[in-house]
């Protein structure tokens, strides 16, 4: 899951502690939960590197070492909370994909016919019967 939030100054540490405790308490045995928190603005170079990392993660296998190196370089929080710790790769990639424009996948039992992995909102409605497709600015047309 990836989300945007407005946070009062000085409360970021509190959020990191809360989410860390939540993941430790609620994650399924054997899960690999990772947590990434990005404070914006990140800066042009940091933002570009984070988005590029997310896109690369969709095409190639990346390592924890890669994830932690980038997180340290651009100044974002990244932590592992169980299992092998591999979840940090997806956590950082998800943040980059979200920053790059709300990238996401439709998951579940529905199969949507697409061209090169892309489907229109109209196609999704027609083929699945979902009630609503949403973007960062609200319902999609």
């Amino acid at each position: 899951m990836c989300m945007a939030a407005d946070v009062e100054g000085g409360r970021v540490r509190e959020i990191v502690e809360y989410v860390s405790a939540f993941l430790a308490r609620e994650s399924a045995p054997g899960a690999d939960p990772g947590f990434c928190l990005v404070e914006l603005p990140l800066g042009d170079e940091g933002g570009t590197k984070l988005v590029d990392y997310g896109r690369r993660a969709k095409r190639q296998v990346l390592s924890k070492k890669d994830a932690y190196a980038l997180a340290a370089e651009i100044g974002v929080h990244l932590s592992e909370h169980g299992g092998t710790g591999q979840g940090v790769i997806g956590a950082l990639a998800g943040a980059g994909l979200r920053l790059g424009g709300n990238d996401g996948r439709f998951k579940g039992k529905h199969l949507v016919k697409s061209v090169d992995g892309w489907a229109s909102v109209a196609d999704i409605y027609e083929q699945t019967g979902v009630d609503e497709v949403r973007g960062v600015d609200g319902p999609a047309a």
Side-chain angles (χ1 to χ4, degrees):
M1 178 177 83
C2 192
M3 60 177 267
D6 290 323
V7 177
E8 289 181 23
R11 302 215 55 195
V12 170
R13 185 84 233 136
E14 185 179 337
I15 291 169
V16 168
E17 290 171 3
Y18 177 84
V19 170
S20 296
F22 177 85
L23 290 171
R25 184 178 66 249
E26 300 294 331
S27 294
D32 283 327
F35 175 51
C36 178
L37 190 141
V38 178
E39 292 183 74
L40 299 176
L42 194 54
D44 291 340
E45 187 175 332
T48 298
K49 288 181 178 186
L50 183 56
V51 171
D52 288 347
Y53 177 89
R55 291 179 179 152
R56 270 196 354 254
K58 290 174 62 171
R59 297 185 315 271
Q60 69 188 78
V61 176
L62 301 174
S63 70
K64 283 179 19 177
K65 181 180 175 184
D66 296 330
Y68 278 120
L70 178 60
E73 178 184 345
I74 63 176
V76 303
H77 171 85
L78 187 63
S79 55
E80 55 191 77
H81 298 276
T84 65
Q86 295 290 82
V88 295
I89 299 166
L92 188 63
L97 292 170
R98 173 70 179 197
L99 185 62
N102 195 33
D103 183 276
R105 292 186 180 159
F106 180 80
K107 292 189 174 187
K109 296 181 181 180
H110 303 286
L111 296 177
V112 178
K113 293 177 188 168
S114 62
V115 177
D116 294 326
W118 293 89
S120 69
V121 171
D123 289 339
I124 294 170
Y125 282 136
E126 182 180 311
Q127 296 177 42
T128 66
V130 297
D131 295 324
E132 185 175 59
V133 176
R134 295 178 70 74
V136 293
D137 296 323

